[in-house]
């Protein structure tokens, strides 16, 4: 008996053919419910996008994330070739997303639109490198354990997350939110840092340690902000429409102004503003805005209450 025949016999013994048939029924029912029975979805591939980001990272930082034996005279060739491979694959993935959301009559224009979008994306890569340089400097200057900016780039999970975020945010703005979300979720899986690609983060951003950090979709973060592990910039509540469905796209996450430091475990919820130069202490639960230069800390609770202290401002409950 051939190996192929043995495989068929084993499959029959395990009931695989019946399982395949039942899975087909479930799949077709799902497609019918989503009105996609005649046009099954072909989505961007996570593995391909991971390769794209790796290639873009190597092109942005060829001496540190590129080939180990790369010489100065070959850098531009390496960058050009690496970009060519990564961007061509990105066009393919963008085309898949655009085809997924497009009307049937618009499919003929998808290829041209995908190429134009990736061309616009590529033109902004020097600006992305500038922002990432500012993030790396912030990490080096903000962490006494950092021995060099090179160590920060190749070792720090916060920088890995920011490389993915900076690329994803640009794609999100250009109109491919699914690919953008997939890219940040690749970093989320690797680092434990969850940054929605729709969040707005200015230069010089540093996440120290990083695990458990959550930054919601409509968060706005200013310049030179530092977060520690397990910080959440989240929504306080999720409003519903008349049908009971969640309202999407509303501004529901915090605004963090320039030069703010938020220590480990702090939870900041709702569309509130953390004023410039403020310090938010560890494990604080904050649902109200604080003025510039505030210092909000968690203190020993007495009789079920707790107070925070603001420099030059009225005290507020720090834990609610």
């Amino acid at each position: 008996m051939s190996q192929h025949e043995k495989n068929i016999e084993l499959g029959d013994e395990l009931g695989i053919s019946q399982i395949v048939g039942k899975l087909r029924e479930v799949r077709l029912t799902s497609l019918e419910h989503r009105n996609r029975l005649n046009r099954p979805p072909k989505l961007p591939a996570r593995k391909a996008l991971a390769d794209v980001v790796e290639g873009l990272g190597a092109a942005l930082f060829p001496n540190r994330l590129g080939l180990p034996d790369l010489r100065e005279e070959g850098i531009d060739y390496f960058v050009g070739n690496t970009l060519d491979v990564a961007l061509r694959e990105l066009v393919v993935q963008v085309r898949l997303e655009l085809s997924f959301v497009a009307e049937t009559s618009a499919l003929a224009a998808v290829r041209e639109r995908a190429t134009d979008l990736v061309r616009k994306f590529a033109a902004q890569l020097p600006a992305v490198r500038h922002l990432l340089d500012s993030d790396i400097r912030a990490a080096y200057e903000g962490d006494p354990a950092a021995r060099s900016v090179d160590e920060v780039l190749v070792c720090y999970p916060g920088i890995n997350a920011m490389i993915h975020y900076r690329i994803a945010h640009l794609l999100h703005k250009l109109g491919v939110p699914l690919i953008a979300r997939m890219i940040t979720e690749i970093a989320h899986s690797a680092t434990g840092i969850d940054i929605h690609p729709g969040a707005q983060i200015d230069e010089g951003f540093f996440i120290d340690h990083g695990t458990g950090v959550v930054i919601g979709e409509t968060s706005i973060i200013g310049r030179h902000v530092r977060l520690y592990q397990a910080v959440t910039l989240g929504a306080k509540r999720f409003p519903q429409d008349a049908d009971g469905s969640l309202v999407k796209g509303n501004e529901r996450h915090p605004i963090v102004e320039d030069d703010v430091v938020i220590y480990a475990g702090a939870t900041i919820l709702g569309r509130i503003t953390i004023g410039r130069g403020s310090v938010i202490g560890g494990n604080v639960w904050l649902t109200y805005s604080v003025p510039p230069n505030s210092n909000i800390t968690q203190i020993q609770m007495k009789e079920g209450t707790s107070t925070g202290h603001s420099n030059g401002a009225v005290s507020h409950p720090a834990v609610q």
Side-chain angles (χ1 to χ4, degrees), residues 73-277:
E73 60 271 20
I75 289 180
D76 285 346
Y77 175 81
F78 169 80
V79 170
N81 182 68
T82 304
L83 278 178
D84 182 66
V85 172
L87 294 175
R88 286 180 185 276
E89 182 57 45
L90 183 57
V91 169
V92 173
Q93 300 305 312
V94 169
R95 193 185 310 149
L96 287 169
E97 178 169 345
L98 296 179
S99 298
F100 174 70
V101 300
E103 298 295 334
T104 303
S105 59
L107 292 179
V110 164
R111 179 184 293 272
E112 181 178 351
R113 185 181 170 199
T115 302
D116 181 63
L117 188 152
V118 173
R119 184 184 299 112
K120 291 177 180 177
F121 167 81
Q124 297 186 57
L125 285 175
V128 170
R129 166 67 198 250
H130 173 78
L131 286 169
L132 289 170
D133 280 343
S134 75
D135 299 331
I136 293 168
R137 285 197 304 273
Y140 174 68
E141 294 169 0
D143 185 1
R147 297 174 181 270
S148 68
V149 293
D150 301 299
E151 178 187 4
V152 168
L153 174 59
V154 300
C155 295
Y156 279 41
I159 296 302
N160 185 15
M162 288 306 294
I163 291 173
H164 285 74
Y165 160 78
R166 297 289 187 196
I167 290 170
H169 180 65
L170 181 51
L171 290 167
H172 187 274
K173 291 196 301 181
L174 288 170
V176 280
L178 176 58
I179 285 176
R181 188 65 187 271
M182 292 174 73
I183 288 173
T184 55
E185 288 302 325
I186 290 169
H188 184 193
S189 298
T191 66
I193 298 170
D194 182 2
I195 308 177
H196 194 286
Q200 301 177 49
I201 304 177
D202 213 326
E203 64 180 28
F205 183 61
F206 174 32
I207 303 175
D208 200 358
H209 304 296
T211 304
V213 166
V214 177
I215 300 175
E217 176 187 14
T218 62
S219 300
I220 299 176
I221 299 175
R223 301 169 67 246
H224 306 302
V225 170
R226 188 192 329 164
L227 307 185
Y228 287 83
Q229 67 271 22
V231 166
T232 296
L233 303 181
K236 184 177 180 180
R237 59 178 60 89
F238 302 99
Q240 299 177 338
D241 61 20
D243 298 325
S245 300
L246 291 181
V247 176
K248 298 181 183 292
N250 59 313
E251 296 176 342
R252 60 196 182 279
H253 299 103
I255 299 171
V256 180
E257 295 184 345
D258 298 349
D259 304 309
V260 169
V261 178
I262 305 176
Y263 283 99
T267 299
I268 302 175
L269 302 179
R271 193 59 163 188
I272 63 175
T273 298
I274 308 303
R276 179 173 183 167

Side-chain angles (χ1 to χ4, degrees), residues 282-304:
N283 298 315
V284 164
W285 182 283
L286 192 60
T287 58
Y288 59 85
S289 295
V290 299
N293 301 310
S294 295
N295 183 15
I296 310 298
T297 61
Q298 183 189 57
I299 64 172
Q300 189 70 32
M301 295 178 65
K302 295 180 180 180
E303 296 180 355

